[in-house]
Structures are given as structure tokens and as C-alpha cells.
Amino acid sequence: MTDLAALLEVAGRAVDQAAELVTTMSLGKVTAKGDRDTVSEIDLAVEEKLRGFLLAETPEIGFLGEEHGASNEAGGRLTWSLDPVDGTANLVNGMPLCGVSLGLVEGNRSVLGVIDLPFLGERYRAAEGQGAFRGEEPISPRRTTALKDAIVAVGDYAVGHNAENRNAPRLALTNLLATRAMRVRMLGSAATDLAWVAAGRLDASIALSNHPWDTAAGTAIAREAGARVMDWDGTPHTAASSATVVCCPGIAEELARIVKTAYDFG
């Protein structure tokens, strides 16, 4: 049986090291890694540091990082999933909405997460069956029951190969939400979006993508806090989902209909 309490403590120590690097390192060289996509020396340093730390502390668990992919094939059904800096574009441009996101995936389900927003001084954490917290304070989603009263965050638009086609449902979603939600926000950091839904600062977060480094920690925290965590069609979210829809329970059905409609338009 997986000892999630012990692994949450390990994850916390790993993210401590990451947060210190993010807040003390100079940005260094910023390198293009694709169409309108960049990586900083901070991203690379954090991933290298945590890859080594977690391999030493938990050699039985695999590792997946955004910048350098998978390592430690001995991992089996358990894999750490890291975004060393979620919101690199924000970081590079001096905006504080960025964070370190470390999740643990068991099979196809996220079961543990730690998100640190170092420039805001906020740490979110959860493990399945053990509650979700900001610092030492338990968190839970809002009780909003109608989309017209909801603040909804959406993920960034696609860039790179086939971006025009991939953006069709995203643009349709934006149009649908603009006439139905109280407000629409694009914060540029999936980790921030998901943590803030879990903590009741946002009513929903919709990303028409599901990169494990972006979503593993946040979906574990949001689910444990009591939020609904779904794929684009309203089915339960897994590592194999194509979208990541997280919201307070009271608007889940209404939001799922909106996302399905956006996919039809796309």
C-alpha cells in the first residue's frame, strides 16, 4: 500500500528546494524551445535539482519532468510529475503568477500534489484521503450554483504545430463563456488556476489539454478539496483525459455542457 503521508512529506521537501531556487536565482538565459515557447535557466535548474533529489529519496518511483521527459524506468505504477516553473512566460516578464507543481500519479490517477506559488508566499498540498490545505488551513471550493455567478479561468491558446485547428474549440469556448459566466480570466498558470479553484478563489478552470506536469498536482489538490475534476465530456478526469475541467460542484453539469458545445464548434 502506498504511504501517501510519507510521500507528501518528501514532496514538500522537494518543493522547498525548488521554491528557493525560483526566488533566489537570476533568470539567466531564456531559450526558445518552440513557437512562442521558452525555457529559462531557472526551469532547468529546478528540474535537475528535483530529479536528483527524488531519485535519491524514492528510487522506486519514476519521474517525468516538463523539460527533459521521463527517467527512472523502475517507477512502475507510481510517477512523480513536475513542472519546474508553471507559468514561465509570466516569470520571464516579471509577473508573479507562476509556481512549482509536483504531483504523484498512480496508474492513471493523480493521488498527491504540492503547488508552491513562491512570489505570493502560498503553498497548497493534498494527498488522497488526507484533506487539502493552503499552508495549514483546510481549503474547499466555492458553493456557486450558476455559471452566471462564476469566475472561470481558461488555459492559454495553443501555439506551434496545427495551432489554428487546435484553437478552434478554445475560441469557441471563450465566446460561449463570455455570454454566460460572470467573468473569464486567463492567468497563464495552470497550477495557479487549479489551486485557486480548490481554495475557492475561482469557480472553475478549463484547459483543453492535459499535460501531466501541468495538471497532476492541481487535480489531486482540487479533487481532495471537494471540487469536480472532469474531462471535456464530464467523465472523471484521468491521466488519459484530453482536457482538464475543474470546478465547484454546483456548476459542474452546466459547465460540462458548455465545454461539449465548444468541442462541437471546434
Side-chain angles (χ1 to χ4, degrees):
M1 183 175 179
T2 305
D3 187 347
L4 292 180
L7 292 175
L8 186 60
E9 190 273 335
V10 171
R13 288 192 284 127
V15 174
D16 286 344
Q17 297 174 58
E20 182 177 4
L21 284 174
V22 172
T23 54
T24 61
M25 274 189 69
S26 62
L27 190 61
K29 185 179 180 181
V30 177
T31 306
K33 64 175 185 177
D35 175 33
R36 291 167 286 166
D37 195 10
T38 58
V39 60
S40 73
E41 290 185 12
I42 295 176
D43 295 80
L44 300 173
V46 169
E47 184 164 320
E48 181 181 3
K49 181 78 170 179
L50 267 61
R51 188 183 296 266
F53 174 79
L54 291 169
L55 178 61
E57 292 289 320
T58 57
E60 72 282 6
I61 299 178
F63 181 92
L64 175 67
E66 178 180 11
E67 305 306 336
H68 292 302
S71 62
N72 189 14
E73 297 301 326
R77 285 183 57 81
L78 286 171
T79 304
W80 294 111
S81 188
L82 173 71
D83 193 336
V85 179
D86 183 77
T88 298
N90 288 352
L91 175 69
V92 167
N93 288 283
M95 292 184 280
L97 289 179
C98 59
V100 180
S101 180
L102 177 63
L104 182 69
V105 179
E106 184 170 18
N108 68 352
R109 180 179 172 87
S110 299
V111 295
L112 178 157
V114 179
I115 291 172
D116 194 278
L117 308 180
F119 298 111
L120 302 182
E122 296 183 355
R123 171 75 59 91
Y124 297 84
R125 59 183 171 85
E128 196 169 69
Q130 298 178 31
F133 301 86
R134 179 176 59 230
E136 299 304 316
E137 175 188 2
I139 55 175
S140 59
R142 290 183 180 179
R143 298 182 179 180
T144 307
T145 58
L147 189 57
K148 67 180 179 62
D149 300 319
I151 299 176
V152 181
V154 296
D156 286 337
Y157 296 122
V159 297
H161 176 68
N162 200 32
E164 183 174 354
N165 288 335
R166 290 188 292 134
N167 277 327
R170 290 168 167 82
L171 292 167
L173 176 66
T174 303
N175 286 333
L176 289 164
L177 290 171
T179 59
R180 291 165 174 80
M182 177 184 284
R183 292 290 187 274
V184 181
R185 299 286 183 257
M186 183 180 284
L187 304 181
S189 166
T192 303
D193 290 352
L194 296 172
W196 284 5
V197 174
R201 289 182 176 167
L202 294 168
D203 294 286
S205 167
I206 306 172
L208 301 188
S209 62
N210 184 33
H211 299 126
W213 47 83
D214 286 333
T215 62
T219 54
I221 294 167
R223 186 185 292 113
E224 188 63 18
R228 284 282 296 275
V229 183
M230 309 179 291
D231 200 349
W232 69 272
D233 57 357
T235 57
H237 186 274
T238 72
S241 294
S242 60
T244 306
V245 182
V246 178
C247 63
C248 53
I251 63 170
E253 283 69 29
E254 187 178 5
L255 199 63
R257 289 194 295 269
I258 295 292
V259 176
K260 287 180 186 178
T261 301
Y263 267 86
D264 290 339
F265 285 167

